[in-house]
Amino acid sequence: MRALTWQGTGKVSVETVPDPVLRDPTDAIVRMTSTAICGSDLHLYDVLGMYLDAGDILGHEPMGVVEEVGAEVTHIRPGDRVVIPFNISCGQCWMCRRGFYAQCETTQVSKHGKGASLFGYTRLYGQVPGAQAEFLRVPQAHFGPIKVPEGHPDERFLFLSDVLTTSWQAAQYADVRPGDTVLVTGLGPIGQMSARIARHLGAAKVIAVDNVPERLAMASRHGIETLSFDETTDIPGAVRELTQGRGADSVIEAVGMEAHGTPFQAAAQKAAGLLPDPLARKANETFGVDRMGALRTAFDAVRRAGTISIIGVYGGQADPFPMMDLFDKGVTLRMGQAHVKRWVDDIMPLLTGDDDPLGVDDLVTHRMPLDEAPEAYEMFKNKQEGCIKVVLKP
């Protein structure tokens, strides 16, 4: 089969690799019909290469048709149309029974002290071959795959794999209530959907921050008030002006370590990614090279006794938090990988009708064949041609 493989920092290529096969009775093989590029894939592309090996298959936003199932997989069968959650969970362990699927104890990568295994996401998360390929082996398929109906194109359901469920959790963790003001930092795909979901949940005002014109325009189409940090130097001050001086009731931080930070942090992040793997891992885990710009904005812009939901991916280990200010303001922090299947029942009814209350049909900006994935990565990374979300078609 053809698959998109990591070949080194800033380099990916589509190669011919062996077809996946069933290994366990809880496996399934799914033929990919759509698979998306996620913002967190860019972390692998540029920064986290010390945790990858040449030839690793990337991608964790899969959708396709079931080709084959193991003996213990009974809720799906060949021919079914399915979406695959990006985290691999068993549905039966202590964590899964409590809805904490991103912490599944069956697939936890205890060697590295991490949570549930993820598709296409480094040795830290199990080094499971990813979904930017023609076929995908799905472990724990007795639980994970989500069967979806016919009647809509893939893109109506594809984002249950990550974007929609992650954004729904971001809004839930932000404790969005009717009448609230919510600030969203970053208008990539997660920020776009988090802002729309906050509106859907009853927020009276949703303010979003970015500096890419196409992202700001997309958010505006869905009733989101926007601020460009190229034009507004004091974002927290601007938010307070819009909220009677208090600040936002909730902030969803949807940027992560791609955020614009100080020049030193940006340089440290890039430098760490270029070190030999053992040194790079030590630098990342000891010194902390995440960019803190978006987090500082969130900390400053939230009102006293407000809530911050951190959904952007962070990779460093030793960043300084302004603990005195956070404690004084009485801020609640919630964060973490999305527990995908926990939210599917809430979201699915919003996708199956003829209407589109979350605006899912207005997210994808580029559809490209799998063989053009390297060009798609470069375009997405550099925010060229109005690129906000790319779907690859194997």
Side-chain angles (χ1 to χ4, degrees):
M1 71 173 182
R2 301 286 282 170
L4 189 280
T5 63
W6 186 87
Q7 295 296 338
T9 299
K11 183 180 179 182
V12 294
S13 63
V14 178
E15 306 289 343
T16 299
V17 302
D19 289 353
V21 297
L22 297 176
R23 297 182 185 174
D24 299 306
T26 52
D27 284 354
I29 304 297
V30 178
R31 174 175 54 84
M32 296 290 92
T33 56
S34 295
T35 180
I37 301 177
C38 179
S40 57
D41 288 330
L42 297 181
H43 306 329
L44 310 183
Y45 189 60
D46 270 342
V47 180
L48 297 179
M50 70 286 287
Y51 302 111
L52 288 156
D53 293 325
D56 282 355
I57 301 173
L58 305 185
H60 59 266
E61 297 187 9
M63 180 171 178
V65 177
V66 177
E67 292 282 304
E68 190 177 1
V69 298
E72 295 180 19
V73 178
T74 58
H75 79 291
I76 57 171
R77 60 185 181 180
D80 284 346
R81 189 185 190 202
V82 294
V83 173
I84 314 298
F86 73 92
N87 40 34
I88 302 169
S89 47
C90 73
Q92 300 167 346
C93 68
W94 190 93
M95 286 289 182
C96 286
R97 291 198 305 271
R98 288 157 178 80
F100 301 130
Y101 302 118
Q103 305 299 338
C104 173
E105 292 179 327
T106 299
T107 73
Q108 274 181 17
V109 187
S110 55
K111 176 181 177 181
H112 297 293
K114 301 302 180 188
S117 296
L118 311 178
F119 287 104
Y121 216 81
T122 79
R123 290 190 295 277
L124 294 178
Y125 289 97
Q127 209 163 23
V128 181
Q132 290 167 7
E134 292 181 318
F135 295 92
L136 178 69
R137 171 182 166 259
V138 181
Q140 306 297 322
H142 65 285
F143 175 71
I146 303 158
K147 189 175 177 180
V148 299
E150 301 295 334
H152 289 293
D154 280 8
E155 290 158 19
R156 177 62 71 93
F157 302 105
L158 171 62
F159 304 119
L160 286 169
S161 64
D162 184 349
V163 176
L164 275 172
T165 45
T166 294
S167 300
W168 193 274
Q169 177 170 302
Q172 294 293 334
Y173 277 17
D175 195 25
V176 175
R177 300 181 183 183
D180 277 358
T181 294
V182 178
L183 173 68
V184 178
T185 61
L187 281 170
I190 299 296
Q192 295 284 347
M193 294 311 307
S194 294
R196 298 177 205 179
I197 289 168
R199 284 291 305 271
H200 175 77
L201 295 175
K205 183 190 296 286
V206 180
I207 307 163
V209 183
D210 207 290
N211 71 332
V212 179
E214 293 85 359
R215 292 179 171 190
L216 296 167
M218 177 178 278
S220 296
R221 290 199 294 270
H222 295 272
I224 311 302
E225 298 184 36
T226 61
L227 295 171
S228 171
F229 57 76
D230 282 348
E231 300 173 1
T232 304
T233 56
D234 181 8
I235 295 294
V239 173
R240 284 189 286 272
E241 286 184 10
L242 294 168
T243 55
Q244 296 77 52
R246 282 189 297 273
D249 299 295
S250 304
V251 179
I252 297 173
E253 202 296 271
V255 180
M257 62 182 176
E258 289 297 314
H260 294 268
T262 66
F264 172 79
Q265 286 170 312
Q269 186 185 51
K270 291 179 181 178
L274 295 174
L275 291 169
D277 284 359
L279 295 176
R281 288 192 292 268
K282 188 69 173 176
N284 197 51
E285 293 161 8
T286 303
F287 299 119
V289 295
D290 287 342
R291 306 187 193 184
M292 292 282 289
L295 280 174
R296 290 194 183 98
T297 296
F299 297 157
D300 196 1
V302 73
R303 66 161 166 80
R304 291 180 176 274
T307 301
I308 297 172
S309 171
I310 303 172
I311 205 66
V313 175
Y314 284 86
Q317 195 77 302
D319 287 317
F321 266 42
M323 292 304 298
M324 183 174 70
D325 291 341
L326 294 172
F327 183 84
D328 176 67
K329 291 179 75 170
V331 171
T332 297
L333 292 176
R334 297 194 72 183
M335 65 193 80
Q337 299 277 10
H339 307 295
V340 172
K341 293 204 71 173
R342 181 172 178 173
W343 312 112
V344 169
D345 288 346
D346 294 324
I347 302 170
M348 187 68 83
L350 305 174
L351 306 178
T352 53
D354 293 332
D355 57 348
D356 182 18
L358 300 181
V360 176
D361 295 341
D362 182 26
L363 184 65
V364 177
T365 54
H366 292 75
R367 300 160 182 85
M368 301 173 70
L370 179 65
D371 280 341
E372 295 179 14
E375 293 83 354
Y377 266 75
E378 276 295 299
M379 179 175 60
F380 187 31
K381 170 191 169 184
N382 295 314
K383 303 178 178 68
Q384 297 168 336
E385 300 181 24
C387 183
I388 296 175
K389 188 65 175 178
V390 181
V391 172
L392 301 172
K393 296 293 186 176

